[in-house]
Amino acid sequence: MAASPFPDGFLWGGAIAANQAEGASFEGGKGLTTVDMIPHGAHRLAVKTGQEKRFQLKEDEFYPSHQAIDFYHRYKEDIALMAEMGFTVFRTSIAWSRLYPNGDEMTPNAEGIAFYRDVFAECKKYGIEPLVTLCHFDVPMHLVVEYGSWRNRKMVEFFARYARTCFEAFDGLVKYWLTFNEINILLHSPFSGAGLVFEEGEHQEQVKYQAAHHELVASALATKIAHEVNPENQVGCMLAGGNFYPRTCKPEDVWAALQKDRENLFFIDVQARGAYPSYTKRVFAEKGIVIAKEAGDDQILKNTVDFVSFSYYASRCASADMNDNNSSAANIVKSLKNPHIEVSEWGWGIDPLGLRITMNMMYDRYQKPLFLVENGLGAKDEINAQGEIIDDYRISYLREHIHAMGEAIRDGIPVIGYTSWGCIDLVSASTGEMSKRYGFVYVDRDDSGNGTLDRKRKQSFWWYKKVIASNGGDLA
Ligand code: BG6
């Protein structure tokens, strides 16, 4: 066995999010959030992207988030399973509307705070460090209906109040924080990403970038508050990562790939470097985007993050003649098909070397520690005649990606930790399916919401336990 490239104290674990795991959408004083309005089925994409307004639930539709995998009632059993694998970090998110049901109240809901204190204390009981996202695809619906969500400047104030509540209420339990999950997804899935819905004929890019500005200011303000509340707090930004490759070495294709990368990295450029990057001036002018800034915004943006976190599922590919007909959004962000890489059952690329490339690019650009907080293979699992789930395809995906991350560490990049996505099966963000499974732990529930919700260890559970025990030295 070769020596492990992973440093002592490297954090190993897995990730979930409140909106895809907790369920209990109407319990504990929680208010409705954006994800609660996104149905399974034909209307999902239009609602997720803000093209179809959905402010009321419909009787004849199924909303997978309402029960999800019932983490709300089963977190003790679930965290015990994570501890059994040897996790030293567990990523989850706080549902903003459990703490502020409407989002604009002055005082938080005590029941929501008590729930998360219990969850984080349960992690600590096992020596697991919670890694907590403040906003993972769930904006309180009241803020969407009354204020237009992040298009409205008032959101900065509401988010700052919510963030301060979290930092104060969970001080001593949580040290690692992320502000907005996959902040760049606001551009690609505006309702699920940021609670945005559009009016007919609106300049959608203008709305999206103004909302982005508000989120960036709110994120920087939250970072400042986190450090004021406790200087030990470590705050990260979070990118839906994956570099764009040019389809060919034609200069026009290379330029197209660079522009595509900038579109996503714009957010992290601001959060990690503390100012709008110079290229935005021309890009915004050409797109007719004018950002309304308040005095003091540029100063607030200087509160940069402590580390850069990101998700990585696959690399992407672009060319100068890329258009809606030759590209697809299998992995939310539109990409050309790359003939050199294989794809998953859902058409998502599989490119471990792309992870090393992405990590090198990010460290070259930001010079801040990285944290890979989502990575994994969504696949269908079968229970065999012996009652086992032999998910060797998942092991193989994870093995290759962990190896690539190890190579990036050998390249000289400081990496804080790794949390694979959906360490326990949960609802898919893109499709609303349960059958797109990522977990080491199987959950008995189908795409229509039927099942006992019982948990079951998969073959990958035992494999990952061994990986963690060997600090990544044994990936066999
Ligand atoms: C990321 C999200 O985009 O990818 C998660 O942060 C999401 O919320 C994950 O679940 C995997 O995507 P999907 O669509 O397979 O659930």
Side-chain angles (χ1 to χ4, degrees):
M1 194 167 60
S4 166
F6 298 95
D8 287 347
F10 185 84
L11 296 173
W12 290 100
I16 64 167
N19 84 87
Q20 287 157 266
E22 282 179 9
S25 278
F26 305 91
E27 290 179 53
K30 176 182 167 294
L32 279 181
T33 75
T34 41
V35 71
D36 293 320
M37 315 307 289
I38 304 178
H40 184 46
H43 292 263
R44 187 170 181 87
L45 187 64
V47 175
K48 250 170 65 68
T49 52
Q51 306 303 330
E52 182 180 333
K53 243 187 213 175
R54 191 59 64 87
F55 288 180
Q56 297 290 331
L57 296 172
K58 290 191 173 175
E59 294 245 323
D60 58 346
E61 280 187 330
F62 171 56
Y63 299 92
S65 73
H66 291 187
Q67 191 185 23
I69 61 160
D70 196 31
F71 179 78
Y72 187 78
H73 295 111
R74 295 166 197 248
Y75 67 89
K76 289 198 175 167
E77 177 190 352
D78 293 343
I79 292 168
L81 284 161
M82 305 309 147
E84 191 183 332
M85 274 184 279
F87 277 28
T88 48
V89 60
F90 176 61
R91 176 179 175 225
T92 188
S93 65
I94 294 173
W96 185 348
S97 74
R98 278 200 195 284
L99 266 52
Y100 288 91
N102 285 332
D104 59 357
E105 300 92 336
M106 294 306 289
T107 51
N109 166 30
E111 211 175 336
I113 291 185
F115 168 67
Y116 288 108
R117 279 196 74 84
D118 287 351
V119 170
F120 303 144
E122 195 67 17
C123 291
K124 294 296 250 193
K125 182 173 116 186
Y126 296 105
I128 298 174
E129 201 64 65
L131 164 61
V132 178
T133 317
L134 292 171
C135 190
H136 190 133
F137 298 166
D138 57 355
V139 175
M141 271 312 286
H142 175 77
L143 298 182
V144 175
V145 177
E146 289 301 316
Y147 300 91
S149 190
W150 284 101
R151 64 169 70 215
N152 191 322
R153 174 78 197 193
K154 276 185 179 298
M155 291 291 279
V156 175
E157 173 196 328
F158 301 144
F159 186 79
R161 187 177 308 132
Y162 159 63
R164 178 179 289 282
T165 299
C166 293
F167 302 139
E168 289 178 352
F170 310 123
D171 189 29
L173 289 170
V174 181
K175 173 177 152 194
Y176 291 101
W177 298 94
L178 305 179
T179 52
F180 292 93
N181 178 65
E182 295 190 334
I183 188 164
N184 51 317
I185 291 305
L186 175 163
L187 299 179
H188 311 279
S189 186
F191 182 67
S192 66
L196 299 176
V197 285
F198 300 102
E199 303 302 333
E200 188 89 23
E202 238 184 340
H203 185 346
Q204 297 194 3
E205 295 248 77
Q206 166 66 36
V207 174
K208 289 195 262 185
Y209 278 99
Q210 186 62 55
H213 178 71
H214 294 148
E215 284 201 358
L216 291 167
V217 172
S219 175
L221 207 50
T223 306
K224 180 171 181 278
I225 297 168
H227 292 149
E228 280 164 9
V229 171
N230 189 339
E232 298 277 294
N233 275 329
Q234 293 286 300
V235 185
C237 51
M238 202 301 203
L239 169 81
N243 268 28
F244 272 94
Y245 300 153
R247 176 77 178 78
T248 72
C249 53
K250 207 165 91 185
E252 288 78 3
D253 287 348
V254 176
W255 177 243
L258 185 139
Q259 283 180 301
K260 284 297 201 186
D261 273 337
R262 279 180 171 175
E263 195 176 280
N264 291 310
L265 294 170
F266 152 70
F267 296 84
I268 311 303
D269 286 349
V270 178
Q271 290 174 297
R273 304 196 303 213
Y276 271 53
S278 46
Y279 59 79
T280 48
K281 212 172 167 191
R282 177 171 182 177
V283 173
F284 286 176
E286 287 179 357
K287 289 179 183 229
I289 294 166
V290 181
I291 305 288
K293 284 189 183 177
E294 283 194 0
D297 280 1
D298 288 340
Q299 196 56 35
I300 294 172
L301 291 178
K302 290 189 177 137
N303 292 284
T304 55
V305 289
D306 301 300
F307 63 91
V308 172
S309 88
F310 65 106
S311 62
Y312 178 85
Y313 293 91
S315 55
R316 298 156 178 150
C317 184
S319 72
D321 60 1
M322 185 172 171
N323 58 48
D324 282 353
N325 298 325
N326 61 13
S327 62
S328 82
N331 197 354
I332 309 181
V333 180
K334 280 208 168 156
S335 166
L336 294 174
K337 194 170 165 1
N338 180 342
H340 303 287
I341 63 174
E342 289 182 13
V343 295
S344 76
E345 288 171 90
W346 273 267
W348 292 30
I350 300 177
D351 178 15
L353 181 54
L355 172 59
R356 183 174 171 192
I357 295 168
T358 297
M359 292 177 78
N360 272 274
M361 175 280 299
M362 293 222 291
Y363 190 63
D364 286 354
R365 194 167 179 127
Y366 301 122
Q367 299 284 300
K368 299 216 183 221
L370 303 183
F371 203 151
L372 178 45
V373 299
E374 279 189 37
N375 170 241
L377 180 73
K380 291 200 169 102
D381 291 328
E382 299 289 338
I383 303 183
N384 69 17
Q386 288 72 44
E388 303 156 332
I389 298 156
I390 308 297
D391 55 342
D392 41 9
Y393 36 90
R394 181 169 296 109
I395 293 173
S396 152
Y397 177 100
L398 293 170
R399 176 189 294 125
E400 290 180 30
H401 285 78
I402 292 173
H403 174 76
M405 174 174 59
E407 290 300 295
I409 290 172
R410 286 196 169 105
D411 292 334
I413 300 174
V415 184
I416 301 172
Y418 175 80
T419 57
S420 72
W421 176 247
C423 43
I424 177 165
D425 294 343
L426 37 59
V427 177
S428 160
S430 55
T431 67
E433 294 164 306
M434 269 305 298
S435 53
K436 191 179 187 198
R437 297 173 181 277
Y438 287 86
F440 304 114
V441 175
Y442 182 90
V443 176
D444 179 26
R445 180 172 162 89
D446 68 17
D447 291 343
S448 313
N450 305 306
T452 61
L453 290 167
D454 284 351
R455 277 54 170 156
K456 191 178 185 57
R457 295 166 187 79
K458 305 181 193 176
Q459 187 191 26
S460 55
F461 181 99
W462 306 110
W463 174 81
Y464 196 45
K465 186 177 161 80
K466 193 181 62 170
V467 170
I468 297 175
S470 64
N471 195 27
D474 183 3
L475 301 180

